[in-house]
Amino acid sequence: MDIADLITPAAVIPNLRATSKKQALQDLAKKAAELTGLHERAVFDVLLERERLGTTGVGNGIAIPHGKLPTLDRLYGLFARLEKPINFESIDEHPVDLVFLLLAPETAGADHLKALARVSRLLRDKGVCEKLRGTENPEALYALLTESPASRAA
């Protein structure tokens, strides 16, 4: 599974202005609703429910909020680069400035886990994160996110 299977250029937010975790999740839910055709509240509720189980702030300024919705027909991703880092209650207690939202159908099973692993692997790459933090251009962000691991290593 490639990141390009999850996101489109329209799913990249180069400068999200949020001052709190809740506001970031609300803004992401709104954008996700536009992309998926789902109701914004349904998306927000599933993200909030997941955060109650434990933070999706994975450390190093990165959060990967995710959830499953019964009416989705496929996996959807959404990437946001925050204008200013926010408290996301991350495991390392550092503020978050890179967020990759992942939504999956309830029936996704292993595909959901594979997508989470793929996103996590990508965002563990310090070089990729530095480049993501260094640009506000949505096309450049999309290109960085969808670049194949082989061409990154070259």
Side-chain angles (χ1 to χ4, degrees):
M1 173 171 300
D2 289 327
I3 300 292
D5 298 329
L6 303 173
I7 66 169
T8 63
V12 174
I13 304 170
N15 252 330
L16 184 66
R17 286 189 175 126
T19 56
S20 68
K21 178 179 182 175
K22 183 179 178 185
Q23 184 186 4
L25 292 174
Q26 285 172 323
D27 292 348
L28 291 167
K30 181 177 183 174
K31 182 68 173 177
E34 291 170 17
L35 296 169
T36 62
L38 295 175
H39 194 274
E40 182 181 331
R41 186 69 202 195
V43 176
F44 179 68
D45 286 347
V46 81
L47 295 174
L48 217 50
E49 190 178 308
R50 172 57 190 84
E51 289 299 321
R52 283 190 192 110
L53 297 174
T55 185
T56 57
V58 295
N60 297 319
I62 297 158
I64 310 174
H66 54 277
K68 292 183 177 182
L69 292 146
T71 53
L72 276 182
D73 56 349
R74 66 176 185 85
L75 289 158
Y76 283 90
L78 180 69
F79 175 79
R81 182 183 162 282
L82 276 63
E83 190 174 80
K84 292 184 178 133
I86 58 169
N87 177 9
F88 216 88
E89 300 159 5
S90 296
I91 54 173
D92 66 358
E93 298 181 3
H94 287 102
V96 162
D97 63 343
L98 301 177
V99 180
F100 198 110
L101 170 73
L102 191 62
L103 297 174
E106 273 186 354
T107 57
D111 285 343
H112 177 68
L113 296 176
K114 286 178 190 170
L116 277 170
R118 180 71 189 89
V119 168
S120 178
R121 241 186 337 270
L122 172 73
L123 295 178
R124 268 199 310 257
D125 185 321
K126 285 184 169 56
V128 169
C129 289
E130 281 177 26
K131 289 176 184 173
L132 290 169
R133 289 182 172 113
T135 185
E136 293 181 19
N137 179 300
E139 291 83 15
L141 290 168
Y142 178 77
L144 285 165
L145 291 164
T146 57
E147 186 178 42
S148 74
S151 53
R152 254 196 305 280

